[in-house]
Amino acid sequence: MNSFQYKDGELFCEDVALKKIAEELGTPYYVYSAADLRTQYHNFYNAFKQTDRLICFAVKACGNIGVLALLGSQGCGADIVSGGELHRALKAGIDNSKIVFAGVGKTEEEIKYAISSNILMFNVESMQELDLLNKCALELGKKARIAIRVNPNVDAKTHPYISTGLKNNKFGIPAEKVKDDYIYASKLKGIDVVGMHCHIGSQLTEVSPFHDAAEILLDIIKDLRKKKINIKYLDLGGGLGITYKDEKPPSHAEYAASLAEILKGEDMTLIFEPGRNLAGNAGALITKVLYTKDTDEKHFKIVDAAMNDLARPSLYDSYHTVQSVDETEKTVTGDMVGPICESGDFLARDRKMPDVDIGGLYAIMSAGAYGMTMASNYNSRPRVPEILVDGENYHIVRRREIYSDLTGPERVPEFLNKK
Ligand code: LLP
């Protein structure tokens, strides 16, 4: 499903004209479709009908509390990697018993916050972390439920920056070593061993790495069972890809089918942590053309959004489809660039794109995941608003930042304060 469609030559998100939002709120802005978020969530969830399952949305992909509340209202939980993300999930009303906590560098403060919040489980990434978790739980007079994140050494065949399940990555504990660690964990008084976790990478476009990883984990689970360690939750992480350009990622049904055989007869709750797959294509970044420029070499569209708003093209050289908000047959080949003082500030490069003139609008598609969450204030650019469209209504789920937001937390030191 894609709720970004042209109607009478104008791009809409569901039943709201993107131009209307621009006129009322200015540009740039992020816009998300509530219908697309709901549909993706339910499609994912329903594909795994055969088993108990829980979908924990990866907050890092799109942490807006309006979006989280929407997903939470559908029954979705949260995959978090920091105290800040826990705060967001709880604030959005996500059920604490549906929250899982990953990350290689959880601090004592974050651990205590999560134990006190009674989250479903910690996905533990090292033995040092496990010991700290045990200590914190005992101090709080509680037990911490844990899964150990297994590094299965499976090649996710994705961008190296977002591949996480290989031996040379910093994540998890090697599959060969993890059994001993489970035995150790099961003896700790503050620890309740409930699950096993892996996350092998992001934007996967094949099912085989998921299948291979699940097989490796299941072998370990069977071995542990002989040692009376029972794994109730098998958390396979996120990573299912989306189409940005012409990728053909597996459907939810194909993903489910690839696991069906190995999981047959297993009595466990499956957990998935999709981020991009739920939110990526449910969002777009809308930007206005400020100027156009022609050099001997190139045509430039200088727009009001920049790498601080959408970092993915600069960071990973990633491709986001560019559409004009007013439908046009005219095309031009060039770069779409922002106002930031760096040549790396591009949103599209050497791209054949609709030819939009000064004052016209572009929609940068597939920006719902790792868009706003990776935005910064670089060049002291206030961060843009986030809009949630639902049918014929739109809701401002984050207002545009103003200049005083930039300097709000800062202070001129006393010794420089002139009386
Ligand atoms: N679970 C864990 C433990 C993760 O580390 C991640 C993503 C996910 C779930 C969600 O993965 P997804 O379903 O979204 O693929 N900034 C990069 C992506 C980084 C992903 C990091 N971990 C990008 O813009 O492509």
Side-chain angles (χ1 to χ4, degrees):
M1 160 155 191
N2 182 354
S3 291
F4 292 88
Q5 301 290 344
Y6 289 101
K7 295 183 194 176
D8 294 330
E10 243 197 86
L11 193 59
F12 275 62
C13 175
E14 301 190 27
D15 298 324
V16 179
L18 295 173
K19 211 165 18 177
K20 176 173 179 254
I21 304 178
E23 277 158 12
E24 291 173 2
L25 303 177
T27 54
Y29 66 87
Y30 272 101
V31 58
Y32 310 112
S33 156
D36 284 1
L37 288 162
R38 286 191 201 99
T39 307
Q40 278 302 100
Y41 169 73
H42 288 293
N43 283 350
F44 203 127
Y45 185 77
N46 292 333
F48 290 88
K49 270 200 187 75
Q50 270 67 341
T51 27
D52 278 344
R53 70 282 194 208
L54 172 64
I55 311 278
C56 294
F57 177 63
V59 174
K60 65 174 81 67
C62 185
N64 184 286
I65 57 172
V67 170
L68 297 181
L70 176 88
L71 289 169
S73 73
Q74 307 299 299
C76 191
D79 155 50
I80 57 161
V81 288
S82 68
E85 289 191 350
L86 177 55
H87 171 72
R88 284 182 177 281
L90 295 174
K91 178 113 185 159
I94 299 239
D95 189 341
N96 57 297
S97 68
K98 294 181 179 173
I99 297 179
V100 293
F101 190 175
V104 292
K106 303 177 189 82
T107 66
E108 182 163 345
E109 194 190 354
E110 289 174 322
I111 287 172
K112 285 187 169 158
Y113 177 26
I115 294 177
S116 308
S117 306
N118 204 15
I119 64 164
L120 175 60
M121 66 182 189
F122 291 82
N123 290 331
V124 173
E125 305 234 12
S126 68
M127 286 300 100
Q128 290 176 357
E129 179 194 333
L130 182 71
D131 286 336
L132 179 60
L133 205 51
N134 182 47
K135 180 184 98 94
C136 292
L138 293 174
E139 269 172 38
L140 295 170
K142 301 201 169 185
K143 274 199 162 201
R145 283 177 292 275
I146 66 123
I148 296 183
R149 178 169 180 173
V150 179
N151 183 332
N153 195 27
V154 164
D155 185 359
K157 303 188 187 99
T158 184
H159 191 292
Y161 284 12
I162 53 179
S163 181
T164 48
L166 281 172
K167 265 192 178 151
N168 61 358
N169 298 133
K170 67 181 173 183
F171 299 98
I173 292 178
E176 311 81 66
K177 185 178 167 294
V178 78
K179 256 174 271 170
D180 292 342
D181 292 345
Y182 264 104
I183 292 166
Y184 174 79
S186 69
K187 292 182 182 141
L188 297 175
K189 294 254 169 340
I191 296 293
D192 195 1
V193 174
V194 296
M196 190 174 289
H197 176 238
C198 76
H199 168 79
I200 54 174
S202 200
Q203 183 54 11
L204 270 70
T205 50
E206 291 173 32
V207 285
S208 56
F210 287 122
H211 172 275
D212 296 352
E215 216 165 39
I216 291 169
L217 263 63
L218 209 67
D219 277 350
I220 306 171
I221 289 175
K222 285 177 182 158
D223 271 2
L224 289 175
R225 217 172 269 152
K226 291 180 205 144
K227 304 205 155 50
K228 300 262 175 324
I229 298 174
N230 267 319
I231 300 298
K232 284 191 278 206
Y233 299 99
L234 173 57
D235 181 345
L236 292 174
L240 189 61
I242 59 169
T243 303
Y244 284 96
K245 187 183 180 189
D246 47 20
E247 306 90 333
K248 293 199 173 48
S251 66
H252 297 129
E254 284 163 342
Y255 184 18
S258 77
L259 299 180
E261 192 56 34
I262 22 178
L263 295 174
K264 215 155 112 197
E266 290 294 332
D267 181 23
M268 278 184 297
T269 298
L270 286 183
I271 299 180
F272 297 98
E273 305 169 347
R276 189 189 319 267
N277 190 266
L278 299 197
N281 279 327
L285 173 62
I286 312 304
T287 183
K288 185 171 77 184
V289 178
L290 298 173
Y291 306 99
T292 62
K293 193 184 245 189
D294 286 288
T295 67
D296 288 347
E297 299 279 309
K298 262 190 183 174
H299 178 72
F300 290 99
K301 299 285 183 201
I302 302 167
V303 297
D304 60 0
M307 65 188 279
N308 74 297
D309 302 307
L310 180 64
R312 303 193 72 257
S314 312
L315 205 54
Y316 315 114
D317 207 12
S318 54
Y319 181 104
H320 287 261
T321 298
V322 165
Q323 289 182 229
S324 58
V325 169
D326 279 316
E327 210 169 7
T328 174
E329 298 283 291
K330 273 194 344 188
T331 59
V332 65
T333 299
D335 288 12
M336 179 182 292
V337 299
I340 283 185
C341 306
E342 295 205 23
S343 296
D345 178 23
F346 61 88
L347 299 164
R349 235 184 352 185
D350 299 322
R351 183 79 66 82
K352 187 172 172 198
M353 56 186 160
D355 193 6
V356 172
D357 219 339
I358 292 190
L361 301 177
Y362 280 113
I364 301 168
M365 308 309 293
S366 312
Y370 307 107
M372 186 61 179
T373 47
M374 291 172 68
S376 77
N377 290 117
Y378 187 40
N379 276 207
S380 286
R381 290 167 49 85
R383 271 174 297 177
V384 310
E386 291 174 288
I387 312 300
L388 183 64
V389 169
D390 189 19
E392 55 192 31
N393 298 312
Y394 76 81
H395 308 270
I396 303 170
V397 288
R398 182 184 169 103
R399 66 162 170 79
R400 189 181 300 285
E401 286 182 355
I402 54 176
Y403 290 145
S404 56
D405 291 325
L406 296 176
T407 49
E410 301 174 19
R411 292 288 172 272
V412 173
E414 201 63 16
F415 79 98
L416 291 174
N417 260 333
K418 301 221 174 67
K419 292 255 158 61

